Amino acid sequence: MDLDVVIVGGGQSGLATAWHLVRLNRRREVPLTFEVLDDRSRAGGAWQDGWPSLELFSPAAYSSLPGWPMPPWRGPGNPSAAHVRDYLTAYEQRYDLPVRRPVAVTGVSGIGDPSGPLVVHASDGDRQAGVVVNATGSWRRPFWPTVPGMRDFAGTQRHTADYTGPTAYDGLRVLVVGGGNSGAQIAADLLPVARELTWATQRTPRYLPDDVDGRALFEAATAAVAGQGGGVGSLGDIVAVPSVRHARDELGLHAAPMPDRLTASGVRWADGTERAFDAVIWCTGFRPALGHLRGVARPNGGVVSPDDERVLFVGYGDWCGPASATLIGVGRSAKDAAARAAAVLDG
Ligand code: FAD
């Protein structure tokens, strides 16, 4: 099967890119043929995996993909992960986007050799593609730090990616590690149920002002890329969503320094203090899930791989577009990717 464009990944980044291809096709005499390959059995990308209390940084009105605004959220706080999943499911149906699932892409050959096509190797067979857009997100690649004593610890160790809610931690002594949004939200989630909750961060948590949400983050990221500001990091690390604000202001959530090492029964700090824990949750981030590309160079700003103009990236972080790893921000990178694909294919 020959296609003009294959999009790998059917989360928000893949869908936004597909939407822009549909729009671009309306203006073309010969439409581009394309499909989206996604290895999940259902729509929604990583939003299917979020824990029940996970809430967005922003209200629905500032969490929309191109073309169709996210429907209003009627619950408390900001929209839940399930609301985003339902929105992506409806988005896909509304535009009748050609998503094939479950189809896992295991490799892409022909990269760097313009004399031949790209060949996408997938669980349902191979297909040739003029352009491959990678939109595989990062949920599949949780980052675990290496900390002395990790192997000695007798309790459970989990990552943000495994966290499914507070029930499993009821009455336990829990250490949550990480000073970003996941760490803050999971610590806030566990504070009311854990017997003891310690939240360890590398530096004092830096909360964004309470009125700053995803829209401001998008604007900050955009300004930084334009060389006109210090970027999202200059604002802080943690969006003070209502659940985190409540835990911080009403329940006394505060952070401890990072321990030096894990021990068989808990952790030890540099000053010799030891504390016992039953469970550690590593909220230490994610890396791009790009195993199928085996080391192909990523863009250094923009969507195009320096190794091959036919290999594009959408949705991973500022290196492939300002705030491109957000709902509000991915549209711009998706539009760039669709335009680049057409330019490459039109020669
Ligand atoms: P994903 O949603 O991960 O979708 C990628 C899809 O590709 C998945 O279905 C995956 O299974 C599939 N896939 C992966 N590899 C392959 C392969 N080889 N072959 C076929 N399919 C493959 N952003 C916001 O805007 N607001 C927020 O409040 C917010 N909160 C977040 C909270 C957390 C805890 C995290 C981790 C991220 C958050 N983000 C938020 C960032 C971002 O919006 C999400 O990470 C989002 O899921 C990224 O979408 P994506 O489409 O790029 O990737």
Side-chain angles (χ1 to χ4, degrees):
M1 184 192 343
D2 289 355
L3 291 156
D4 290 320
V5 183
V6 169
I7 300 172
V8 187
Q12 66 199 36
S13 303
L15 298 188
T17 308
W19 185 89
H20 274 292
L21 284 173
V22 168
R23 198 162 90 138
L24 200 141
N25 271 345
R26 289 205 202 108
R27 302 196 302 268
R28 289 178 66 91
E29 245 169 63
V30 183
L32 299 176
T33 56
F34 71 96
E35 62 182 20
V36 182
L37 307 181
D38 187 66
D39 62 3
R40 309 288 303 244
S41 44
R42 280 191 275 180
W47 294 109
Q48 295 170 80
D49 299 319
W51 55 95
S53 73
L54 171 60
E55 65 177 297
L56 291 186
F57 311 142
S58 318
Y62 301 120
S63 305
S64 297
L65 294 183
W68 182 46
M70 178 181 281
W73 164 247
R74 311 274 177 215
N78 290 327
S80 67
H83 189 71
V84 186
R85 182 202 60 209
D86 293 348
Y87 168 54
L88 297 186
T89 306
Y91 186 93
E92 194 174 307
Q93 289 163 357
R94 182 184 181 95
Y95 296 110
D96 198 18
L97 300 176
V99 186
R100 317 275 168 246
R101 58 167 68 89
V103 178
V105 171
T106 52
V108 179
S109 50
I111 295 175
D113 175 10
S115 65
L118 298 171
V119 181
V120 177
H121 306 289
S123 52
D124 67 344
D126 294 350
R127 59 263 279 156
Q128 292 188 359
V131 168
V132 173
V133 180
N134 298 283
T136 50
S138 58
W139 193 262
R140 283 286 160 82
R141 243 188 102 199
F143 173 72
W144 290 72
T146 306
V147 176
M150 278 173 98
R151 287 176 190 279
D152 304 330
F153 180 61
T156 59
Q157 296 187 62
R158 299 279 183 271
H159 188 275
T160 308
D162 313 312
Y163 182 69
T164 53
T167 318
Y169 300 91
D170 201 349
L172 300 187
R173 298 163 299 181
V174 187
L175 175 71
V176 173
V177 181
N181 287 294
S182 307
Q185 286 196 29
I186 290 176
D189 208 25
L190 291 174
L191 195 55
V193 302
R195 172 144 66 99
E196 278 173 39
L197 186 278
T198 299
W199 177 33
T201 61
Q202 262 170 338
R203 56 181 177 183
T204 308
R206 299 188 319 142
Y207 292 98
L208 280 80
D210 289 359
D211 58 346
V212 168
D213 64 20
R215 186 173 55 147
L217 296 177
F218 176 58
E219 284 162 2
T222 305
V225 170
Q228 293 163 356
V232 172
S234 68
L235 297 176
D237 300 320
I238 301 169
V239 182
V241 295
S243 60
V244 169
R245 237 168 22 224
H246 173 71
R248 183 193 62 188
D249 300 342
E250 315 290 331
L251 306 180
L253 177 67
H254 64 276
M258 280 291 293
D260 263 18
R261 59 172 303 118
L262 273 70
T263 62
S265 59
V267 301
R268 181 161 48 223
W269 277 271
D271 66 0
T273 312
E274 294 203 19
R275 189 173 296 165
F277 288 103
D278 304 303
V280 178
I281 305 175
W282 298 97
C283 302
T284 41
F286 294 83
R287 298 289 181 265
L290 290 169
H292 64 288
L293 290 184
R294 294 186 186 85
V296 172
R298 305 170 184 179
N300 188 11
V303 296
V304 186
S305 168
D307 283 348
D308 193 320
E309 62 172 358
R310 302 169 299 172
V311 179
L312 309 180
F313 295 77
V314 174
Y316 298 97
D318 285 350
W319 53 268
C320 65
S324 102
T326 65
L327 285 153
I328 192 178
V330 70
R332 188 149 56 188
S333 297
K335 185 176 183 184
D336 284 354
R340 289 295 309 199
V344 168
L345 291 160
D346 290 342

